[in-house]
Amino acid sequence: MTEAAQVPTEAAGADLLLRAHDLKRYFDVSPPFLNRVIERLPRAIVKAVDGVSFDIGRGETFSLVGESGCGKSTVARLVVGLYQPTAGGITFDGIDVAGQTAAEARQNVQSRMQMIFQDPYASLNPRWRVANIVAEPIRARGLLPSNREVKARVGELLTQVGLSPADSEKYPHEFSGGQRQRISIARALAGSPDFLVCDEPTSALDVSVQAQILNLMKELQRQYHLTYLFISHDLAVVYHVSTTVGVMYLGRLVEWAPTQTLFNQPRHPYTRMLLDAIPDLEMTGRQRIPVAGEVPSPINPPSGCPFHPRCPHADDRCRAEMPTAHATGDSHVACHAVDDGRLS
Amino acid sequence: MSVAELDAVGRVTDLVRRCLDSDIYFSFKSSKITMIAAAVTAAMFLAAVFAPLITPQNPYDPAALDLMDSFSPPVWIEEGTWTYFLGSDDQGRDLYSAIIYGLRLSLGVGFAAVIIAMLMGVSLGLISGYIGGTLDAVIMRIADVQISFPAILIVLLIDGVVRGILPNERHDDLALVVITFALAFSAWPQFARTVRGSTLVEKNKEYVQAARVIGRSPLWIMAGHVLPNVMGPVLVIATISLAVAILGEATLSFLGVGVPPTEPSLGTLINNGQNFLFSGEWWIVIFPGIALATLVLAVNLLGDWLRDALNPKLR
Amino acid sequence: MTTAPANQPLLEIRNLRIEFPTRRGILVAVDDISLHIDPGEILGVVGESGAGKSLTGAAVIGLLEPPGRIADGQIILEGGRIDNLPYEEMRKIRGRRIGAIFQDPLTSLNPLYSVSRQLVETIQTHLPLSERQARARALELLQEVGIPGAEERIDHYPHQFSGGMRQRVVIALALCAEPRLIIADEPTTALDVSIQAQIISLLKRLCKDHQTAVMLVTHDMGVIAEAADRVAVMYSGRIAEVGPVQDVVRRAKHPYTHGLMGSIPHIGHAVAKLTQIEGSMPRLQEIPPGCPFNPRCPEADGRCRAERPELQWIENTEVACHRFDAPEARSQAGD
Ligand SMILES: Nc1ncnc2c1ncn2[C@@H]1O[C@H](COP(=O)(O)OP(=O)(O)OP(=O)(O)O)[C@@H](O)[C@H]1O
Ligand SMILES: Nc1ncnc2c1ncn2[C@@H]1O[C@H](COP(=O)(O)OP(=O)(O)OP(=O)(O)O)[C@@H](O)[C@H]1O
Ligand code: SF4
Ligand SMILES: [Mg+2]
Ligand SMILES: [Mg+2]
């Protein structure tokens, strides 16, 4: 892959761990061939991820936020190799892991990555006991020699996530949603990864367990220098855990910036709207402003800037031309209004 | 005893204790019907295995048969004798002995056919569903074609081909093997289709993806993760297929391509007995029929129980 | 349907107890819970994960999975008991009078059928509509819950949808017969803040316009603060505190509620470590005598370890905590 060779790994400093370069993933969701012919339906392609680039430094937490369906989970799946990218490259620790020729490289780095899935119900095998579920990464990689040690380690992991070693004899259906999510966190930690992809790891947890898990994740990050790709809808959680935040809209990153900058000085109109839509816990009576307008379909994305139908600052250029990301202070923003100085 | 021996003994007792303590044993113990079904199946198996020891007559040995004793009714009917307490058939065979020996044949052929069909169908179905693409299309088209032919036709076809290839004198030796494989061949598509359907559903679930991220190979994921989740319906189909295979074997034998009539299976007995149902010698068909029905029912119940016992949600 | 007197709650749960008989004894997952929801009211239910919130919801719609069972208590919908109804009758109530949004979107959707087929079938089961009308209604519902490009996506299969979109399909399924009561078990956890706002305003509108009652189980305190009229806080299968949302969220009385509110991360003040309640909720097998929260409670005393606290009125809320007992009773038991 020539493209991967073009990525200057040294440029971002020695501690770059993961780089995604112009990543794309399209899904063909066309109706069956016969229907297409008879009913004259067009082919339909969902551009779930459409040109996303980002860097994650070692020991950092990069968070992705954005509307449901904007492609966050797809990015996560591309990174861990569950999907092959339609185009673009991923390098992990300087190794190209996404190309056609990268299967072997993928094998080597796969053991250093783990993923926590979004749905706590579907992500545990219903026929397996918790002990075996949590032990799977350990066994798959032969990390511990004897069963006794595996068992001890499983007990330790379960305790770490706030369950009891005695729970290991149970089956997943005997647990509540939040308890299952903790099992899947324990499983992810069991493989002692360097890099963890967390797809909404705490959305099924109540705030007190969430606090425990987030503290645990931060603690582990400090101890083992873990790197996270973190996905969440809860902006307060994102604020709390991330070093850098990327905002996605319809398969693209529209803004990314260090956490403090993003929350204090959101630049892209969508980011601003997102922050305004956060529910108000203090009950000051502030009206929550949902992002206005229709959510566009990823099958027929709007021309020009995909956000223009909902954007209060859109002009003719926005409707015609796709904005590209430019650095503005700490942030990178893809918006004509910011480029043109119409929006600070 | 040495330490190693003590350790070994300890481990065995531990294993026994764990088995007795397991959920499956518990669910077995708490279901009366299952225990009865298991007892019946076991008894039939034992009877089949030890047939020569518990029967007064070898029904396969023409010398032991006496045509003079044919059509002897069961013992509780006038003219019945204790020698043939379930009666005898048109050849003078003791029905009781014939049933036990027939059971042996039927069980052997039926179980072997179902197990082969299951192995074949389940693995092809798993591969088809999990890997998908061209492989899936090919396997499923073959299954479709096969399903659209009556099973008997396929069996006859296979049987004919084998007979054509093999020299005449080997036919009888191999008749059983051929018929078993032929029956297995006609049964696998059902397994394959069911398993493929469930696999398609399971493979999109996140636990399968989690295993992929962990770095497990596709083969391992199919066997370790998907298989246990698609086995439920397979067990039910297996018990039904067993009945079908036993009856199929009977039909084939009846058509003269199965086991030789001198060595009757349960199915052959029933088929043979049908001719006498209306001429008053009902016992020739009724007793083998009861034996077959009991066997199929017991195995069915066991299969149902096993399906539920293996589902942790239903414990 | 009986017309209920104005002051009658739409749903009343009386002393509900849910058990799991296992080989090694009976586990009590929900222990003596009483709740009511008035017409047009949204009752928020929050609490530790595993506290029994989903089970309570499942019991109300009669979908407790065996071996779980209602061991005691009554569930009364619009004046009639529904906890002891035969399966067929319950099935008619489900969907028609009670709509359910489950925590687990994949189990509520059949992976083998397209979304349109599932919606149309459900609509036709409950409403006398033709195929075409039902499809139109399905489309309308999908648009209402904010699925972009609903016309194009309606014929897709569940696995082709993102997590949040599946969740919205489930919400659409629950709403299709305009039920009187909606059990919403974490309807918004998979949704971003903007869709969340949309769903909440949809629920609120249903409550206002049709006097629908909602039991809203969620972990998101922001959602509770915004949507709920009253909140019940659950811990270890019991109710720790229940009252108007303002009082519970801002002036929490029960030490657990206190801890819970303290654990919420806030935007604006960065902290190295979030406040957390130390320890974890006891397993069902090991619920301690007295108050189930006592091992983690900073205020626990002898009485808390011995005697189960009952709900008592303190100002506007009901609290189950010995801290609020009359001083004499407290000192007596402390000896
Ligand atoms: N296997 C697939 N086949 C077809 N379309 C898909 C597939 N997976 C995802 N999509 C589509 O891609 C888009 C992005 O999905 P993705 O799951 O990445 O969203 P998300 O940002 O994670 O949303 P959520 O927050 O709701 O989980 C959606 O429109 C979804 O329908
Ligand atoms: N089939 C079962 N067998 C044994 N225990 C069970 C079973 N199903 C649920 N439980 C237990 O019942 C308790 C309550 O579960 P429930 O699903 O109601 O929790 P929840 O409050 O909804 O939690 P969450 O917020 O995490 O979803 C849990 O402790 C769980 O372990
Ligand atoms: S580019 Fe234009 S339409 Fe897009 S966000 Fe910026 S101002 Fe709005
Ligand atoms: Mg997602
Ligand atoms: Mg729940």
Side-chain angles (χ1 to χ4, degrees):
Chain A
M1 293 255 353
T2 48
E3 229 171 304
Q6 284 165 7
V7 177
T9 327
E10 309 88 272
D15 56 357
L16 178 78
L17 184 67
L18 185 110
R19 158 166 291 183
H21 175 74
D22 201 21
L23 209 53
K24 291 186 181 161
R25 171 71 209 203
Y26 299 166
F27 292 104
D28 188 346
V29 292
S30 313
F33 178 72
L34 266 182
N35 296 36
R36 280 214 311 277
V37 174
I38 296 170
E39 299 169 33
R40 302 189 179 214
L41 296 170
R43 280 200 94 84
I45 307 284
V46 175
K47 298 185 175 176
V49 174
D50 197 13
V52 165
S53 310
F54 56 86
D55 291 344
I56 309 180
R58 207 182 298 276
E60 278 190 0
T61 304
F62 181 79
S63 293
L64 282 176
V65 301
E67 232 151 19
S68 149
C70 70
K72 304 179 297 295
S73 300
T74 309
V75 170
R77 279 151 194 250
L78 285 166
V79 167
V80 295
L82 282 174
Y83 290 153
Q84 282 297 314
T86 309
I90 303 171
T91 52
F92 183 80
D93 220 357
I95 308 163
D96 172 25
V97 291
Q100 244 64 52
T101 54
E104 210 169 307
R106 172 59 78 183
Q107 282 285 306
N108 294 332
V109 298
Q110 190 71 65
S111 60
R112 296 169 56 193
M113 299 181 178
Q114 284 294 327
M115 177 160 176
I116 300 166
F117 287 88
Q118 188 169 2
D119 181 349
Y121 287 88
S123 60
L124 306 176
N125 188 337
R127 304 272 170 156
W128 282 31
R129 285 180 201 277
V130 169
N132 294 328
I133 292 175
V134 176
E136 192 174 15
I138 306 177
R139 298 214 170 102
R141 296 170 49 195
L143 292 181
L144 291 173
S146 76
N147 261 334
R148 188 164 334 140
E149 280 168 88
V150 173
K151 202 173 158 197
R153 175 87 182 113
V154 168
E156 197 180 307
L157 284 161
L158 287 176
T159 320
Q160 236 171 10
V161 296
L163 295 171
S164 144
D167 286 331
S168 60
E169 285 308 304
K170 292 196 192 165
Y171 287 92
H173 73 95
E174 294 171 60
F175 295 90
S176 75
Q179 291 166 330
R180 285 186 219 204
Q181 195 61 313
R182 288 189 252 174
I183 296 170
S184 98
I185 293 172
R187 171 177 61 190
L189 294 177
S192 352
D194 305 345
F195 180 65
L196 252 181
V197 176
C198 314
D199 192 353
E200 313 202 15
T202 60
S203 65
L205 302 175
D206 65 281
V207 282
S208 90
V209 177
Q210 169 176 287
Q212 286 179 344
I213 296 284
L214 293 180
N215 286 339
L216 171 73
M217 286 178 60
K218 277 195 136 180
E219 175 63 28
L220 291 167
Q221 181 165 46
R222 243 203 349 268
Q223 264 180 29
Y224 304 111
H225 217 53
L226 291 182
T227 308
Y228 295 125
L229 171 61
F230 193 92
I231 296 173
S232 178
H233 286 307
D234 190 332
L235 292 167
V237 168
V238 167
Y239 176 83
H240 182 71
V241 298
S242 345
T243 10
T244 313
V245 182
V247 181
M248 279 185 80
Y249 189 79
L250 221 60
R252 293 160 189 278
L253 268 177
V254 294
E255 175 168 4
W256 65 103
T259 310
Q260 289 299 335
T261 315
L262 190 110
F263 279 91
N264 293 333
Q265 291 167 310
R267 287 177 196 275
H268 195 281
Y270 176 64
T271 315
R272 294 167 193 237
M273 285 191 167
L274 205 59
L275 294 184
D276 279 339
I278 297 174
D280 176 21
L281 184 64
E282 312 299 332
M283 288 184 288
T284 48
R286 171 172 72 90
Q287 262 301 309
R288 198 172 153 180
I289 314 156
V291 182
E294 277 284 299
V295 185
S297 146
I299 298 177
N300 288 314
S303 64
C305 170
F307 190 58
H308 87 249
R310 303 166 76 185
C311 180
H313 308 282
D315 62 9
D316 287 343
R317 184 172 173 210
C318 298
R319 281 181 273 276
E321 189 186 322
M322 175 84 74
T324 49
H326 296 289
T328 321
D330 275 355
S331 345
H332 289 74
V333 189
C335 171
H336 292 311
V338 175
D339 284 352
D340 298 348
R342 284 189 282 134
L343 203 61
S344 60
Chain B
M1 262 197 275
S2 74
V3 178
E5 277 170 50
L6 271 178
D7 196 40
V9 170
R11 228 177 294 160
V12 169
T13 46
D14 194 46
L15 191 71
V16 171
R17 218 194 55 232
R18 281 215 344 241
C19 284
L20 290 183
D21 194 42
S22 76
D23 291 324
I24 293 195
Y25 180 69
F26 178 78
S27 101
F28 180 71
K29 239 178 34 186
S30 48
S31 158
K32 279 236 161 54
I33 290 196
T34 309
M35 286 174 78
I36 294 172
V40 170
T41 316
M44 287 193 155
F45 253 99
L46 289 177
V49 171
F50 298 110
L53 301 182
I54 55 166
T55 49
Q57 187 193 59
N58 179 355
Y60 296 169
D61 178 8
L65 306 183
D66 188 350
L67 266 183
M68 296 298 293
D69 290 334
S70 60
F71 299 123
S72 164
V75 63
W76 57 89
I77 288 178
E78 278 175 71
E79 298 171 40
T81 62
W82 271 108
T83 333
Y84 304 109
F85 77 98
L86 288 184
S88 68
D89 70 358
D90 53 335
Q91 311 276 322
R93 255 188 219 109
D94 172 31
L95 261 184
Y96 164 70
S97 309
I99 287 174
I100 302 286
Y101 270 81
L103 205 56
R104 204 179 196 189
L105 247 170
S106 296
L107 269 178
V109 171
F111 265 93
V114 168
I115 286 171
I116 296 169
M118 197 156 91
L119 285 177
M120 224 171 111
V122 170
S123 37
L124 285 176
L126 266 178
I127 292 171
S128 191
Y130 190 80
I131 302 201
T134 329
L135 196 61
D136 174 32
V138 171
I139 295 176
M140 281 304 120
R141 286 306 79 74
I142 296 177
D144 283 350
V145 169
Q146 198 167 343
I147 277 185
S148 60
F149 284 107
I152 289 295
L153 211 63
I154 292 173
V155 176
L156 283 175
L157 204 76
I158 294 173
D159 196 71
V161 170
V162 173
R163 271 168 205 263
I165 298 170
L166 286 180
N168 251 335
E169 58 273 20
R170 314 261 342 248
H171 281 176
D172 276 0
D173 308 343
L174 284 178
L176 272 184
V177 179
V178 172
I179 202 170
T180 308
F181 272 92
L183 286 169
F185 242 78
S186 70
W188 75 267
Q190 250 205 321
F191 289 97
R193 289 188 137 202
T194 318
V195 169
R196 173 179 174 269
S198 326
T199 306
L200 281 181
V201 173
E202 296 297 322
K203 86 164 176 188
N204 279 318
K205 295 206 176 151
E206 287 175 343
Y207 71 88
V208 172
Q209 296 170 356
R212 282 174 61 196
V213 174
I214 286 167
R216 292 292 200 184
S217 69
L219 212 61
W220 208 100
I221 294 177
M222 278 188 251
H225 281 286
V226 182
L227 185 61
N229 283 293
V230 301
M231 274 313 271
V234 168
L235 290 173
V236 179
I237 298 184
T239 55
I240 296 168
S241 300
L242 180 66
V244 173
I246 290 175
L247 296 175
E249 176 270 325
T251 318
L252 287 172
S253 305
F254 179 68
L255 293 175
V257 290
V259 296
T262 47
E263 296 177 7
S265 66
L266 221 45
T268 329
L269 283 176
I270 294 170
N271 260 326
N272 180 29
Q274 274 178 14
N275 305 330
F276 306 104
L277 191 53
F278 296 109
S279 55
E281 291 87 10
W282 50 265
W283 57 89
I284 305 182
V285 67
I286 291 295
F287 293 121
I290 291 177
L292 181 62
T294 317
L295 173 67
V296 170
L297 187 66
V299 171
N300 245 317
L301 287 171
L302 269 184
D304 273 358
W305 162 78
L306 198 61
R307 180 196 52 188
D308 291 348
L310 291 180
N311 185 348
K313 278 196 192 176
L314 295 178
R315 268 179 212 154
Chain C
M1 218 180 288
T2 50
T3 36
N7 57 354
Q8 186 189 9
L10 192 112
L11 175 79
E12 201 177 349
I13 300 175
R14 286 193 199 143
N15 308 98
L16 180 69
R17 180 184 170 92
I18 299 173
E19 294 180 346
F20 285 94
T22 68
R23 302 165 47 192
R24 300 195 172 79
I26 289 174
L27 300 181
V28 183
V30 169
D31 191 0
D32 196 10
I33 276 189
S34 301
L35 282 175
H36 67 93
I37 311 180
D38 293 325
E41 186 185 44
I42 300 185
L43 175 76
V45 180
V46 299
E48 195 89 350
S49 118
K53 306 182 292 292
S54 301
L55 288 179
T56 309
V60 171
I61 41 175
L63 282 182
L64 265 186
E65 276 192 35
R69 58 162 194 234
I70 298 181
D72 200 7
Q74 302 184 344
I75 298 170
I76 296 157
L77 179 73
E78 295 181 301
R81 266 186 83 166
I82 56 167
D83 54 304
N84 52 4
L85 287 184
Y87 182 82
E88 258 317 293
E89 268 174 62
M90 200 58 214
R91 203 178 57 83
K92 278 189 210 136
I93 290 185
R94 229 174 3 242
R96 189 74 196 87
R97 287 169 66 197
I98 310 181
I101 304 168
F102 289 110
Q103 194 174 359
D104 170 10
L106 265 189
T107 40
S108 332
L109 295 175
N110 187 334
L112 295 178
Y113 294 152
S114 69
V115 166
S116 60
R117 174 157 174 200
Q118 304 188 41
L119 276 166
V120 167
E121 265 176 19
T122 317
I123 292 172
Q124 286 190 316
T125 325
H126 297 300
L127 304 174
L129 293 180
S130 73
E131 175 101 23
R132 181 180 293 263
Q133 287 167 319
R135 198 182 152 87
R137 171 102 182 102
L139 199 60
E140 199 178 282
L141 279 165
L142 286 184
Q143 279 157 351
E144 204 159 1
V145 294
I147 301 244
E151 300 95 46
E152 294 153 53
R153 308 218 70 170
I154 187 168
D155 288 316
H156 289 175
Y157 290 82
H159 78 266
Q160 295 176 318
F161 280 49
S162 79
M165 291 159 72
R166 277 181 218 154
Q167 185 65 45
R168 280 178 272 166
V169 172
V170 174
I171 295 174
L173 272 173
L175 298 185
C176 64
E178 291 175 2
R180 299 287 299 132
L181 171 71
I182 297 172
I183 308 284
D185 194 353
E186 317 211 4
T188 60
T189 34
L191 303 179
D192 63 280
V193 280
S194 165
I195 307 283
Q196 193 182 62
Q198 216 174 319
I199 301 285
I200 288 174
S201 64
L202 178 70
L203 284 180
K204 282 178 115 169
R205 202 174 69 228
L206 283 172
C207 289
K208 213 164 115 240
D209 297 353
H210 303 283
Q211 289 291 298
T212 310
V214 179
M215 176 170 158
L216 177 65
V217 180
T218 180
H219 290 309
D220 192 326
M221 289 300 163
V223 169
I224 290 284
E226 188 169 353
D229 300 302
R230 286 186 307 124
V231 200
V233 182
M234 286 184 66
Y235 189 83
S236 249
R238 302 173 195 181
I239 291 181
E241 182 166 355
V242 50
V245 65
Q246 296 274 348
D247 294 85
V248 175
V249 174
R250 305 190 65 182
R251 290 180 291 278
K253 296 199 172 54
H254 196 285
Y256 171 68
T257 319
H258 243 298
L260 197 64
M261 299 304 157
S263 311
I264 304 172
H266 291 277
I267 295 177
H269 23 109
V271 283
K273 188 167 186 255
L274 291 167
T275 327
Q276 64 179 50
I277 313 175
E278 291 305 326
S280 51
M281 197 174 75
R283 305 194 313 135
L284 293 183
Q285 292 89 332
E286 295 158 1
I287 296 180
C291 171
F293 189 58
N294 78 57
R296 303 171 75 187
C297 182
E299 320 240 2
D301 61 11
R303 181 159 194 200
C304 298
R305 283 182 272 273
E307 200 178 309
R308 175 173 171 176
E310 296 300 329
L311 281 176
Q312 51 181 319
W313 282 99
I314 306 294
E315 295 160 31
N316 288 329
T317 53
E318 283 179 278
V319 187
C321 174
H322 288 307
R323 233 159 41 102
F324 298 95
D325 293 349
E328 318 85 64
R330 224 178 162 198
S331 57
Q332 268 171 18
D335 302 332

